[in-house]
Amino acid sequence: MSEKIDRRKKYTKMVLKESLVDLLKEKPISSVTVKELCELADINRSTFYSHYADPYDLLATISEEVMLDMNHHLNEYHCGKEEALHMTEKIMEYIADRSDICQVLLSGHGDVTFKKRIMELAKTHILEKWIDQYKLRGKLSPYIPLMIVSGAIDAIESWLVGGKKESPAEMAVLIYQFTNHGLGGLRKASQT
């Protein structure tokens, strides 16, 4: 009996998350009501309130799950030269597989702190290791990692909004080449 209840709870939470993402494609979180969320998910309000306090609570849960999942994926790599491109490609595949959620979270309709949290995660896992690997600590302005990470995140957001015309592998090469070789790296990548 308890297994059936657990499956029902998981299903309810999944439907609520999907419904919120669908609503956030059309309007900001501040305009989402519990009533319309419940109607779209085909559940009653008391069921919603048994899981979440309000739509913001549900959005925070979604955001936190994505952050934890990305952190888990990034921890699988050491970010050395050999793994950097592979890791970037895996992250792009992750984003492509969850494009609806990622697009909403990066947009102005979703969690306004998500982009900043992703930037901190990327700086911690990728750029800090990259700076140490190339022995650039103290030589880089603190603005350079910010420019690289925010530029990559904005490019990913644009890629999602544009319908993912390039493959995750192509986007990974673009980000990898720019991060490691600047504009010259992009020229090399376009010639291959």
Side-chain angles (χ1 to χ4, degrees):
M1 180 74 171
S2 134
E3 185 179 317
K4 188 176 182 178
I5 292 171
D6 287 344
R7 279 198 319 248
R8 194 175 319 142
K9 282 183 180 181
K10 284 180 184 177
Y11 175 78
T12 299
K13 288 180 177 185
M14 179 194 70
V15 169
L16 283 169
K17 290 172 189 173
E18 289 173 356
S19 298
L20 181 60
V21 168
D22 287 345
L23 289 170
L24 291 175
K25 289 177 186 176
E26 305 299 323
K27 58 183 166 179
I29 186 68
S30 60
S31 298
V32 174
T33 66
V34 172
K35 180 182 178 188
E36 69 185 328
L37 191 52
C38 290
E39 285 173 1
L40 187 58
D42 196 25
I43 64 160
N44 62 47
R45 290 170 65 96
S46 63
T47 301
F48 175 86
Y49 286 118
S50 71
H51 297 288
Y52 305 102
D54 55 31
Y56 289 95
D57 184 30
L58 174 55
L59 179 60
T61 300
I62 294 169
S63 179
E64 188 60 29
E65 286 174 359
V66 170
M67 291 297 299
L68 290 171
D69 204 24
M70 280 188 159
N71 192 35
H72 173 76
H73 276 73
L74 287 170
N75 280 328
E76 293 177 2
Y77 298 95
H78 299 291
C79 202
K81 272 185 177 176
E82 309 81 37
E83 283 194 318
L85 180 57
H86 181 68
M87 178 191 66
T88 306
E89 187 172 342
K90 289 297 177 192
I91 292 299
M92 293 307 300
E93 288 170 2
Y94 174 89
I95 292 168
D97 289 345
R98 293 155 187 83
S99 60
D100 283 352
I101 291 172
C102 291
Q103 184 176 341
V104 164
L105 289 173
L106 289 170
S107 77
H109 288 183
D111 180 352
V112 294
T113 67
F114 185 75
K115 195 179 276 192
K116 186 172 183 137
R117 292 172 63 204
I118 287 291
M119 288 175 64
E120 286 302 315
L121 183 70
K123 279 174 46 182
T124 301
H125 280 279
I126 301 167
L127 286 177
E128 292 295 324
K129 293 174 185 175
W130 181 77
I131 288 167
D132 287 339
Q133 177 183 344
Y134 289 101
K135 297 173 181 37
L136 297 171
R137 182 118 2 241
K139 296 178 186 176
L140 277 181
S141 162
Y143 301 111
I144 292 178
L146 183 62
M147 288 188 306
I148 293 170
V149 172
S150 64
I153 291 171
D154 285 345
I156 291 167
E157 183 181 2
S158 181
W159 175 67
L160 291 171
V161 169
K164 302 180 301 212
K165 291 181 178 96
E166 298 79 11
S167 71
E170 290 171 316
M171 287 300 293
V173 167
L174 176 74
I175 291 167
Y176 174 82
Q177 290 292 345
F178 182 75
T179 300
N180 288 285
H181 307 290
L183 292 176
L186 295 177
R187 191 168 14 115
K188 273 196 258 180
S190 69
Q191 294 170 351
T192 56

